[in-house]
Coordinates of all heavy atoms in Angstrom, one line a residue:
M235 N 9.8 -10.8 32.1 CA 9.0 -10.8 30.9 C 9.7 -11.3 29.7 O 10.9 -10.9 29.4 CB 8.5 -9.3 30.7 CG 7.7 -9.1 29.5 SD 7.3 -7.4 29.2 CE 5.6 -7.4 29.0
E236 N 9.2 -12.2 28.9 CA 9.7 -12.7 27.8 C 9.8 -11.7 26.6 O 8.7 -11.1 26.3 CB 9.0 -14.0 27.3 CG 9.7 -14.7 26.1 CD 8.8 -15.9 25.8 OE1 8.1 -16.5 26.6 OE2 8.8 -16.3 24.6
Q237 N 11.0 -11.4 26.0 CA 11.0 -10.7 24.8 C 10.8 -11.4 23.5 O 11.4 -12.4 23.4 CB 12.3 -9.9 24.8 CG 12.3 -8.9 23.7 CD 13.7 -8.1 23.9 OE1 14.5 -8.3 24.7 NE2 13.9 -7.0 22.9
R238 N 10.0 -11.0 22.6 CA 9.8 -11.7 21.5 C 10.5 -10.9 20.2 O 10.4 -9.7 20.3 CB 8.2 -11.7 21.1 CG 7.9 -12.7 20.0 CD 6.4 -12.7 19.9 NE 6.0 -11.5 19.2 CZ 4.9 -11.3 18.5 NH1 4.0 -12.2 18.5 NH2 4.6 -10.2 18.0
D239 N 11.1 -11.6 19.4 CA 11.8 -11.1 18.2 C 10.7 -10.8 17.2 O 10.1 -11.6 16.6 CB 12.8 -11.9 17.7 CG 13.5 -11.3 16.4 OD1 13.4 -10.2 16.3 OD2 14.1 -12.3 15.8
M240 N 10.4 -9.4 16.9 CA 9.4 -9.2 15.9 C 9.9 -9.1 14.5 O 9.2 -9.0 13.6 CB 8.8 -7.7 16.3 CG 9.7 -6.6 16.2 SD 8.9 -5.0 16.3 CE 8.4 -4.9 18.0
G241 N 11.2 -9.2 14.3 CA 11.7 -9.3 13.0 C 11.7 -7.8 12.3 O 11.1 -7.0 12.8
D242 N 12.3 -7.8 11.2 CA 12.4 -6.5 10.4 C 11.0 -5.9 10.1 O 10.8 -4.7 10.2 CB 13.2 -6.6 9.1 CG 14.7 -6.9 9.5 OD1 15.1 -6.5 10.6 OD2 15.3 -7.4 8.5
A243 N 10.1 -6.7 9.5 CA 8.8 -6.3 9.2 C 7.9 -5.7 10.3 O 7.2 -4.7 10.3 CB 7.9 -7.4 8.4
G244 N 8.1 -6.5 11.5 CA 7.4 -6.0 12.7 C 7.9 -4.7 13.2 O 7.3 -3.9 13.7
L245 N 9.3 -4.6 13.2 CA 9.9 -3.3 13.6 C 9.5 -2.2 12.7 O 9.2 -1.2 13.1 CB 11.4 -3.5 13.5 CG 12.2 -2.2 13.9 CD1 11.8 -1.7 15.3 CD2 13.7 -2.5 13.8
L246 N 9.4 -2.3 11.4 CA 8.9 -1.4 10.4 C 7.5 -1.0 10.7 O 7.2 0.2 10.8 CB 9.1 -1.9 8.9 CG 8.6 -0.9 7.9 CD1 9.4 0.3 7.9 CD2 8.7 -1.6 6.6
E247 N 6.7 -1.9 10.9 CA 5.4 -1.7 11.2 C 5.3 -0.7 12.5 O 4.5 0.2 12.6 CB 4.6 -3.0 11.6 CG 3.1 -2.7 11.8 CD 2.3 -4.0 12.0 OE1 2.9 -5.1 12.1 OE2 1.0 -3.9 12.1
A248 N 5.9 -1.2 13.6 CA 6.0 -0.4 14.8 C 6.4 1.0 14.6 O 5.9 2.1 15.1 CB 6.8 -1.1 15.9
V249 N 7.5 1.2 13.8 CA 8.2 2.5 13.5 C 7.2 3.4 12.7 O 6.9 4.6 13.1 CB 9.5 2.4 12.8 CG1 9.9 3.7 12.3 CG2 10.5 1.8 13.7
L250 N 6.6 2.8 11.7 CA 5.6 3.5 10.9 C 4.3 3.9 11.7 O 3.8 5.1 11.6 CB 5.1 2.8 9.7 CG 6.4 2.7 8.7 CD1 5.9 1.7 7.5 CD2 6.8 4.0 8.1
F251 N 3.9 3.0 12.6 CA 2.7 3.3 13.4 C 2.9 4.5 14.4 O 2.2 5.3 14.4 CB 2.3 2.0 14.1 CG 1.1 2.1 15.0 CD1 -0.2 2.0 14.4 CD2 1.1 2.5 16.3 CE1 -1.4 2.1 15.1 CE2 -0.1 2.7 17.1 CZ -1.2 2.4 16.5
A252 N 4.1 4.4 14.9 CA 4.5 5.5 15.9 C 4.7 6.8 15.2 O 4.4 7.9 15.8 CB 5.7 5.0 16.7
A253 N 5.3 6.8 14.1 CA 5.6 8.0 13.5 C 4.3 8.8 13.0 O 4.3 10.0 13.1 CB 6.5 7.8 12.2
G254 N 3.3 7.9 12.4 CA 2.2 8.7 11.9 C 2.4 9.4 10.5 O 1.6 9.1 9.6
D255 N 3.4 10.2 10.4 CA 3.7 10.9 9.1 C 4.7 9.9 8.3 O 5.3 9.0 8.9 CB 4.4 12.2 9.4 CG 3.4 13.2 10.2 OD1 2.3 13.2 9.9 OD2 4.0 14.0 11.0
P256 N 4.6 10.2 7.0 CA 5.5 9.4 6.1 C 7.0 9.7 6.6 O 7.4 10.7 7.0 CB 5.3 10.1 4.8 CG 4.0 10.8 4.8 CD 3.9 11.3 6.3
L257 N 7.7 8.4 6.4 CA 9.2 8.5 6.8 C 9.9 8.1 5.5 O 9.5 7.0 4.8 CB 9.5 7.6 7.8 CG 9.0 7.9 9.3 CD1 9.3 6.9 10.3 CD2 9.6 9.2 9.7
G258 N 10.9 8.8 5.2 CA 11.8 8.4 4.0 C 12.6 7.1 4.2 O 12.9 6.7 5.4
R259 N 13.2 6.6 3.2 CA 14.0 5.5 3.2 C 15.1 5.7 4.1 O 15.5 4.8 4.9 CB 14.4 5.1 1.8 CG 15.1 3.8 1.7 CD 15.3 3.4 0.2 NE 16.3 4.2 -0.3 CZ 16.9 4.0 -1.4 NH1 16.6 2.9 -2.2 NH2 17.9 4.7 -1.9
D260 N 15.9 6.8 4.0 CA 17.0 7.0 4.8 C 16.7 7.2 6.3 O 17.5 6.7 7.1 CB 17.9 8.2 4.4 CG 18.4 8.1 2.9 OD1 18.7 6.9 2.5 OD2 18.7 9.1 2.3
A261 N 15.6 7.8 6.6 CA 15.2 7.9 8.0 C 14.9 6.5 8.6 O 15.3 6.2 9.7 CB 14.0 8.8 8.1
L262 N 14.2 5.7 7.8 CA 13.8 4.3 8.3 C 15.1 3.5 8.5 O 15.2 2.8 9.4 CB 13.0 3.7 7.3 CG 11.4 4.1 7.2 CD1 10.7 3.7 6.1 CD2 10.8 3.8 8.6
A263 N 16.0 3.6 7.4 CA 17.3 2.8 7.6 C 17.9 3.3 8.9 O 18.6 2.4 9.5 CB 18.1 3.2 6.4
H264 N 18.0 4.5 9.2 CA 18.7 5.1 10.3 C 18.0 4.4 11.6 O 18.8 3.8 12.5 CB 18.8 6.5 10.5 CG 19.3 7.1 11.7 ND1 20.7 7.1 11.9 CD2 18.7 7.6 12.7 CE1 20.9 7.6 13.1 NE2 19.7 7.9 13.6
V265 N 16.7 4.5 11.7 CA 16.1 4.0 12.9 C 16.1 2.5 13.0 O 16.3 2.0 14.2 CB 14.5 4.5 12.9 CG1 13.7 3.8 14.0 CG2 14.5 6.0 12.9
M266 N 16.1 1.8 11.9 CA 16.1 0.4 11.9 C 17.5 -0.2 11.9 O 17.7 -1.4 12.0 CB 15.3 -0.2 10.8 CG 13.8 0.2 10.8 SD 12.8 -0.5 9.5 CE 13.0 -2.3 9.8
D267 N 18.5 0.6 11.8 CA 20.0 0.3 11.8 C 20.2 -0.8 10.7 O 20.7 -1.9 10.9 CB 20.4 -0.3 13.2 CG 21.9 -0.4 13.3 OD1 22.5 0.4 12.6 OD2 22.4 -1.3 14.1
C268 N 19.9 -0.4 9.4 CA 20.1 -1.2 8.3 C 20.3 -0.4 7.0 O 20.2 0.8 7.2 CB 18.9 -2.1 8.0 SG 17.5 -1.3 7.4
P269 N 21.0 -1.0 6.0 CA 21.3 -0.1 4.9 C 19.9 0.4 4.2 O 19.0 -0.4 4.2 CB 21.9 -1.1 3.9 CG 22.2 -2.3 4.7 CD 21.4 -2.3 5.9
S270 N 20.1 1.6 3.6 CA 18.8 2.1 3.0 C 18.3 1.3 1.9 O 17.0 1.3 1.6 CB 19.0 3.5 2.5 OG 20.1 3.6 1.6
D271 N 19.1 0.5 1.1 CA 18.6 -0.4 0.1 C 17.9 -1.6 0.6 O 17.4 -2.4 -0.2 CB 19.7 -0.7 -0.9 CG 20.8 -1.5 -0.2 OD1 20.9 -1.6 0.9 OD2 21.8 -1.9 -1.1
A272 N 17.9 -1.8 1.9 CA 17.3 -2.9 2.5 C 15.8 -2.6 2.8 O 15.0 -3.5 3.1 CB 17.9 -3.5 3.7
I273 N 15.5 -1.3 2.8 CA 14.1 -0.9 3.2 C 12.9 -1.5 2.3 O 12.0 -2.0 2.7 CB 14.0 0.6 3.4 CG1 15.0 1.1 4.5 CG2 12.6 1.1 3.5 CD1 14.6 0.5 5.9
E274 N 13.2 -1.2 1.0 CA 12.0 -1.7 -0.1 C 11.7 -3.1 0.2 O 10.4 -3.5 0.2 CB 12.5 -1.3 -1.4 CG 11.4 -1.6 -2.4 CD 10.1 -0.8 -2.2 OE1 10.3 0.5 -1.8 OE2 9.0 -1.2 -2.4
P275 N 12.6 -4.1 0.3 CA 12.3 -5.4 0.5 C 11.4 -5.6 1.8 O 10.5 -6.5 1.9 CB 13.6 -6.2 0.6 CG 14.5 -5.4 -0.2 CD 14.1 -4.0 0.0
I276 N 11.9 -4.9 2.8 CA 11.2 -5.0 4.2 C 9.8 -4.5 4.0 O 8.8 -5.1 4.5 CB 12.0 -4.4 5.3 CG1 13.3 -5.0 5.4 CG2 11.3 -4.3 6.5 CD1 14.3 -4.3 6.3
V277 N 9.6 -3.4 3.3 CA 8.2 -2.8 3.0 C 7.4 -3.8 2.4 O 6.2 -4.1 2.8 CB 8.4 -1.4 2.3 CG1 7.0 -1.0 1.8 CG2 9.0 -0.5 3.1
E278 N 7.9 -4.4 1.4 CA 7.1 -5.4 0.6 C 6.7 -6.7 1.5 O 5.7 -7.1 1.4 CB 7.9 -5.9 -0.6 CG 7.0 -6.8 -1.4 CD 5.7 -6.2 -1.9 OE1 5.7 -4.9 -2.2 OE2 4.8 -6.9 -2.1
K279 N 7.7 -7.1 2.3 CA 7.4 -8.2 3.3 C 6.2 -7.8 4.3 O 5.4 -8.5 4.5 CB 8.7 -8.5 4.1 CG 8.5 -9.7 5.0 CD 9.8 -10.1 5.7 CE 9.5 -11.2 6.7 NZ 10.8 -11.5 7.5
L280 N 6.4 -6.5 4.7 CA 5.3 -6.0 5.6 C 4.0 -6.0 4.9 O 2.9 -6.4 5.5 CB 5.6 -4.7 6.3 CG 4.6 -4.1 7.1 CD1 4.2 -5.0 8.3 CD2 5.1 -2.6 7.6
R281 N 3.9 -5.5 3.7 CA 2.7 -5.4 2.9 C 2.1 -6.9 2.8 O 0.9 -7.0 3.1 CB 3.0 -4.9 1.5 CG 3.1 -3.4 1.5 CD 3.3 -2.9 0.0 NE 3.4 -1.5 0.0 CZ 4.3 -0.9 -0.8 NH1 5.2 -1.5 -1.5 NH2 4.3 0.4 -0.8
Q282 N 3.0 -7.8 2.6 CA 2.4 -9.2 2.4 C 1.9 -9.7 3.7 O 1.0 -10.5 3.8 CB 3.4 -10.2 1.9 CG 3.9 -9.8 0.4 CD 2.7 -9.8 -0.5 OE1 1.9 -10.7 -0.6 NE2 2.6 -8.7 -1.3
E283 N 2.7 -9.4 4.8 CA 2.3 -9.9 6.2 C 0.8 -9.3 6.5 O 0.0 -9.9 7.1 CB 3.3 -9.7 7.2 CG 4.5 -10.5 7.1 CD 5.6 -10.3 8.2 OE1 5.2 -9.5 9.1 OE2 6.7 -10.8 8.1
L284 N 0.7 -8.0 6.3 CA -0.5 -7.4 6.6 C -1.7 -7.8 5.9 O -2.7 -8.1 6.4 CB -0.4 -5.8 6.4 CG 0.5 -5.0 7.3 CD1 0.8 -3.6 6.8 CD2 0.0 -4.9 8.7
L285 N -1.5 -8.2 4.6 CA -2.5 -8.7 3.7 C -2.9 -10.2 4.2 O -4.0 -10.5 4.4 CB -2.0 -8.8 2.2 CG -3.0 -9.4 1.2 CD1 -4.2 -8.4 1.1 CD2 -2.3 -9.5 -0.2
A286 N -1.8 -10.9 4.5 CA -2.0 -12.4 5.0 C -2.8 -12.4 6.3 O -3.6 -13.3 6.4 CB -0.6 -13.0 5.1
R287 N -2.6 -11.6 7.1 CA -3.4 -11.5 8.4 C -4.7 -10.8 8.3 O -5.4 -10.7 9.4 CB -2.5 -11.1 9.6 CG -2.2 -9.7 9.7 CD -1.3 -9.5 10.9 NE -1.1 -8.1 11.1 CZ 0.1 -7.5 11.3 NH1 1.2 -8.2 11.4 NH2 0.2 -6.2 11.6
G288 N -5.1 -10.3 7.2 CA -6.3 -9.6 7.0 C -6.5 -8.4 7.7 O -7.5 -7.8 8.1
S289 N -5.3 -7.6 7.8 CA -5.2 -6.3 8.5 C -5.9 -5.3 7.7 O -6.0 -5.3 6.4 CB -3.8 -5.9 8.8 OG -3.7 -4.7 9.3
G290 N -6.5 -4.3 8.3 CA -7.1 -3.1 7.7 C -6.0 -2.1 7.3 O -6.3 -1.0 6.9
L291 N -4.8 -2.5 7.5 CA -3.7 -1.6 7.3 C -2.8 -1.9 6.1 O -2.8 -3.2 5.8 CB -2.8 -1.4 8.5 CG -3.5 -0.8 9.8 CD1 -2.5 -0.9 10.9 CD2 -3.9 0.6 9.6
T292 N -2.1 -1.1 5.5 CA -1.1 -1.4 4.4 C -0.1 -0.2 4.5 O -0.3 0.7 5.2 CB -1.7 -1.5 3.1 OG1 -0.8 -2.0 2.2 CG2 -2.3 -0.2 2.5
V293 N 1.0 -0.4 3.7 CA 2.0 0.6 3.6 C 1.9 1.3 2.4 O 1.8 0.6 1.3 CB 3.4 -0.1 3.7 CG1 4.5 1.0 3.7 CG2 3.6 -0.9 5.1
H294 N 1.6 2.7 2.5 CA 1.5 3.5 1.3 C 2.9 4.3 1.0 O 3.5 4.6 2.0 CB 0.4 4.4 1.4 CG -0.9 3.8 1.4 ND1 -1.6 3.4 0.5 CD2 -1.7 3.5 2.6 CE1 -2.8 2.9 0.8 NE2 -2.8 2.9 2.1
R295 N 3.1 4.5 -0.2 CA 4.3 5.4 -0.6 C 3.6 6.9 -0.6 O 2.8 7.1 -1.5 CB 4.8 4.9 -1.8 CG 6.1 5.7 -2.1 CD 7.0 4.9 -3.1 NE 8.3 5.7 -3.1 CZ 9.4 5.2 -2.9 NH1 9.6 3.9 -2.7 NH2 10.5 6.0 -2.8
V296 N 4.2 7.6 0.2 CA 3.6 9.0 0.3 C 4.7 10.0 0.4 O 5.7 9.8 1.2 CB 2.6 9.1 1.5 CG1 2.0 10.5 1.6 CG2 1.5 8.1 1.5
A297 N 4.6 11.1 -0.3 CA 5.6 12.2 -0.2 C 7.0 11.7 -0.2 O 7.8 12.2 0.6 CB 5.3 13.0 1.0
G298 N 7.4 10.8 -1.0 CA 8.7 10.3 -1.1 C 9.1 9.3 0.1 O 10.3 9.0 0.3
G299 N 8.1 9.0 0.9 CA 8.4 8.1 2.1 C 7.3 6.9 2.2 O 6.6 6.8 1.2
Y300 N 7.3 6.4 3.3 CA 6.3 5.3 3.5 C 5.5 5.7 4.8 O 6.0 6.2 5.7 CB 7.1 4.0 3.8 CG 8.0 3.6 2.6 CD1 9.3 4.0 2.6 CD2 7.4 2.9 1.5 CE1 10.1 3.5 1.5 CE2 8.2 2.6 0.5 CZ 9.5 2.9 0.5 OH 10.3 2.4 -0.6
Q301 N 4.2 5.3 4.8 CA 3.3 5.6 5.8 C 2.3 4.3 5.9 O 1.7 3.8 5.0 CB 2.5 6.9 5.5 CG 1.6 7.2 6.6 CD 0.9 8.5 6.3 OE1 0.7 8.9 5.1 NE2 0.6 9.3 7.4
L302 N 2.1 4.1 7.2 CA 1.2 3.0 7.5 C -0.3 3.7 7.6 O -0.5 4.6 8.3 CB 1.5 2.4 8.9 CG 0.8 1.1 9.3 CD1 1.1 -0.1 8.3 CD2 1.1 0.7 10.7
A303 N -1.2 3.1 6.8 CA -2.5 3.7 6.7 C -3.5 2.7 6.4 O -3.2 1.5 6.0 CB -2.5 4.8 5.7
G304 N -4.8 3.0 6.5 CA -5.9 2.1 6.2 C -5.8 1.7 4.8 O -5.6 2.5 3.9
G305 N -6.1 0.4 4.5 CA -6.0 -0.1 3.1 C -7.4 -0.4 2.7 O -8.3 -0.3 3.4
L306 N -7.5 -0.7 1.4 CA -8.9 -1.1 0.9 C -9.1 -2.5 1.3 O -8.3 -3.3 1.1 CB -8.8 -0.8 -0.7 CG -8.6 0.5 -1.1 CD1 -8.6 0.6 -2.6 CD2 -9.8 1.4 -0.6
S307 N -10.3 -2.8 1.8 CA -10.6 -4.1 2.1 C -10.9 -5.0 0.9 O -11.6 -4.5 0.0 CB -11.9 -4.0 3.0 OG -12.3 -5.4 3.3
R308 N -10.4 -6.2 0.9 CA -10.7 -7.1 -0.2 C -11.9 -8.0 0.1 O -12.3 -8.8 -0.6 CB -9.5 -8.0 -0.4 CG -8.3 -7.2 -1.0 CD -7.1 -8.0 -1.3 NE -6.1 -7.2 -1.7 CZ -5.4 -7.3 -2.8 NH1 -5.9 -8.2 -3.7 NH2 -4.5 -6.6 -3.2
R309 N -12.6 -7.8 1.3 CA -13.7 -8.5 1.7 C -14.9 -7.8 1.1 O -15.0 -6.7 0.9 CB -13.8 -8.5 3.2 CG -12.6 -9.2 3.9 CD -12.7 -9.2 5.3 NE -11.6 -9.9 5.9 CZ -11.2 -9.4 7.1 NH1 -11.7 -8.5 7.9 NH2 -10.1 -10.0 7.6
R310 N -16.0 -8.7 0.8 CA -17.1 -8.2 0.1 C -17.8 -7.4 1.3 O -17.7 -7.7 2.5 CB -18.0 -9.4 -0.3 CG -18.5 -10.3 0.7 CD -19.5 -11.3 0.1 NE -19.9 -12.2 1.1 CZ -20.8 -12.0 2.0 NH1 -21.5 -10.8 2.0 NH2 -21.3 -12.9 2.8
A311 N -18.7 -6.6 0.8 CA -19.7 -5.8 1.7 C -20.8 -6.8 2.3 O -21.1 -7.6 1.6 CB -20.3 -4.6 0.9
P312 N -21.3 -6.6 3.4 CA -22.3 -7.4 4.0 C -23.5 -7.3 3.1 O -23.9 -6.3 2.6 CB -22.6 -6.9 5.3 CG -21.6 -5.9 5.6 CD -20.8 -5.5 4.3
E313 N -24.2 -8.4 2.9 CA -25.4 -8.5 2.1 C -26.6 -8.6 3.0 O -26.4 -9.0 4.1 CB -25.4 -9.9 1.3 CG -24.2 -10.1 0.4 CD -24.4 -9.4 -1.0 OE1 -25.6 -9.3 -1.4 OE2 -23.5 -9.1 -1.7
P314 N -27.8 -8.1 2.5 CA -29.0 -8.2 3.3 C -29.2 -9.7 3.7 O -29.0 -10.5 2.9 CB -30.1 -7.7 2.5 CG -29.4 -6.9 1.5 CD -28.0 -7.4 1.3
G315 N -29.5 -10.0 4.9 CA -29.8 -11.3 5.4 C -28.5 -12.0 5.9 O -28.5 -13.2 6.3
D316 N -27.4 -11.2 6.0 CA -26.2 -11.8 6.6 C -26.2 -11.9 8.1 O -25.4 -12.3 8.7 CB -24.9 -11.0 6.1 CG -24.4 -11.4 4.8 OD1 -24.8 -12.4 4.3 OD2 -23.5 -10.6 4.3
G317 N -27.4 -11.5 8.7 CA -27.5 -11.5 10.1 C -27.2 -10.2 10.8 O -27.3 -10.1 12.0
A318 N -26.9 -9.2 10.1 CA -26.6 -7.8 10.5 C -27.9 -7.1 10.9 O -28.9 -7.3 10.1 CB -25.8 -7.0 9.7
A319 N -27.9 -6.5 12.0 CA -29.2 -5.7 12.3 C -29.3 -4.4 11.4 O -28.2 -3.9 11.0 CB -29.1 -5.2 13.8
P320 N -30.5 -4.1 11.1 CA -30.7 -2.9 10.3 C -30.1 -1.7 10.9 O -30.2 -1.6 12.2 CB -32.2 -2.7 10.0 CG -32.8 -3.7 11.0 CD -31.7 -4.7 11.4
V321 N -29.6 -0.7 10.2 CA -29.0 0.6 10.9 C -30.3 1.4 11.3 O -30.2 2.0 12.3 CB -28.1 1.4 9.9 CG1 -27.7 2.7 10.4 CG2 -26.9 0.4 9.5
C322 N -31.3 1.5 10.4 CA -32.4 2.3 10.7 C -33.6 1.4 10.6 O -33.7 0.5 9.8 CB -32.7 3.4 9.7 SG -31.2 4.6 9.7
A323 N -34.5 1.6 11.6 CA -35.8 0.9 11.4 C -37.0 1.8 11.3 O -36.9 3.0 11.8 CB -36.0 0.2 12.8
D324 N -37.9 1.5 10.5 CA -39.1 2.3 10.3 C -39.9 2.3 11.5 O -40.1 1.4 12.1 CB -40.0 1.7 9.2 CG -39.2 1.9 7.8 OD1 -38.5 2.8 7.6 OD2 -39.6 1.0 6.9
A325 N -40.3 3.6 11.9 CA -41.1 3.8 13.1 C -42.6 3.5 12.9 O -43.1 3.7 11.8 CB -40.9 5.1 13.7

């Protein structure tokens, strides 16, 4: 099986996804085997990657740490006539 290099941002995404709860900078640095001052630039890179690929996730700063969570969509809400079926139909 071919192994793909996911890079620092990909590793951060995987760690935060698996953790579920917020992780502090020192804990992330330990798991990712990098200096703690390298975490913030990696977080920002991940935020940009998630935004660029239109992900519904983003990295939030929570309780002194970081957590992967649902982000606010920048896409517009569907308009009537966009082809979506109605949720309720009059009987």
Side-chain angles (χ1 to χ4, degrees):
M235 177 189 228
E236 182 180 333
Q237 185 175 2
R238 193 178 76 158
D239 179 18
M240 67 170 62
D242 291 339
L245 177 58
L246 177 61
E247 181 178 8
V249 169
L250 291 175
F251 183 84
D255 293 326
L257 292 176
R259 190 172 71 163
D260 292 338
L262 287 170
H264 176 76
V265 170
M266 296 180 63
D267 194 28
C268 68
S270 60
D271 61 351
I273 296 299
E274 187 61 37
I276 298 170
V277 167
E278 188 53 37
K279 181 178 179 185
L280 176 56
R281 282 183 179 133
Q282 295 304 316
E283 287 182 10
L284 292 169
L285 184 62
R287 71 179 189 228
S289 175
L291 299 173
T292 190
V293 181
H294 294 281
R295 190 161 185 123
V296 178
Y300 300 95
Q301 184 174 31
L302 192 63
L306 297 176
S307 175
R308 294 178 182 244
R309 297 181 184 146
R310 67 173 178 79
E313 302 271 336
D316 278 349
V321 176
C322 299
D324 292 330

